[in-house]
């Protein structure tokens, strides 16, 4: 990863030219209370099975894993891409987070927050989710291509 250093007014900032990311860019839902299907659009810096978004997930405000959609292959030539998952048991007004995971880097990208009732938007202030959430089942068993 190439790093670029920019000096402005005596402040040093760091920027990476090839930042690894798995950004949630859109979330929509359909269905009935307690059984919603989520459509999640991701844009990620995938290169193949060595670097790809391996899941997206829905997490409660308390940090509980509510649903995880495993992505079984990489999408280096189809960006952004959308995948559906569910039936997810949430109340229409329940505030939840939707985020994506990169196979080797972890949670590195935009996160959306909202509810089925109000819709979802990108947020920057995130709670401290439990570290063991990343190790909870279901987990991917590999990458097909």
């Amino acid at each position: 990863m190439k790093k670029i250093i920019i000096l402005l007014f005596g402040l040093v900032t760091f920027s990476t030219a090839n930042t690894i990311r798995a950004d949630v860019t859109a979330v929509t839902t359909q269905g009935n209370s307690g059984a919603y299907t989520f459509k999640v659009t991701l844009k990620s810096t995938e290169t193949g099975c060595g670097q790809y978004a391996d899941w997206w997930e829905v997490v409660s405000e308390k940090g509980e894993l509510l649903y995880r959609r495993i992505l079984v292959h990489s999408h280096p030539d189809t960006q952004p891409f959308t995948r559906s998952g569910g039936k997810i048991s949430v109340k229409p007004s329940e505030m939840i987070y939707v985020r994506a995971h990169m196979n080797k880097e972890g949670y590195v990208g935009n996160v959306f927050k909202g509810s089925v009732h109000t819709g979802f938007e990108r947020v920057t202030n995130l709670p401290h989710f439990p570290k063991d959430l990343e190790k909870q089942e279901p987990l991917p068993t590999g990458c097909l291509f």
Side-chain angles (χ1 to χ4, degrees):
M1 191 177 313
K2 183 178 178 182
K3 291 193 177 184
I4 301 168
I5 300 174
I6 303 169
L7 184 61
L8 297 173
F9 306 108
L11 299 173
V12 178
T13 60
F14 293 91
S15 173
T16 55
N18 297 317
T19 303
I20 297 172
R21 298 187 60 84
D23 291 321
V24 174
T25 62
V27 177
T28 59
T29 62
Q30 65 183 40
N32 299 310
S33 183
Y36 292 103
T37 298
F38 279 54
K39 283 177 62 174
V40 177
T41 302
L42 303 179
K43 182 166 177 52
S44 55
T45 54
E46 303 194 17
T47 60
C49 287
Q51 178 180 304
Y52 77 107
D54 54 356
W55 70 68
W56 61 259
E57 64 189 13
V58 177
V59 181
S60 74
E61 282 192 298
K62 294 179 181 177
E64 301 163 318
L65 179 63
L66 301 174
Y67 180 83
R68 180 173 288 155
R69 169 59 154 88
I70 303 297
L71 303 169
V72 297
H73 63 85
S74 63
H75 302 85
D77 300 321
T78 7
Q79 293 290 323
F81 65 97
T82 302
R83 294 296 177 270
S84 297
K87 305 288 184 199
I88 302 172
S89 180
V90 294
K91 295 175 185 159
S93 61
E94 183 177 350
M95 296 302 287
I96 52 180
Y97 294 89
V98 179
R99 63 184 184 164
H101 184 271
M102 285 297 275
N103 66 323
K104 293 182 182 174
E105 300 294 323
Y107 300 102
V108 288
N110 296 339
V111 176
F112 274 42
K113 180 182 180 183
S115 72
V116 171
H117 178 70
T118 62
F120 295 85
E121 62 184 24
R122 183 176 173 227
V123 293
T124 54
N125 291 332
L126 300 174
H128 294 287
F129 295 116
K131 295 211 181 272
D132 66 342
L133 202 60
E134 192 171 24
K135 295 180 173 130
Q136 287 184 20
E137 296 286 339
L139 294 170
T141 58
C143 176
L144 296 177
F145 53 88

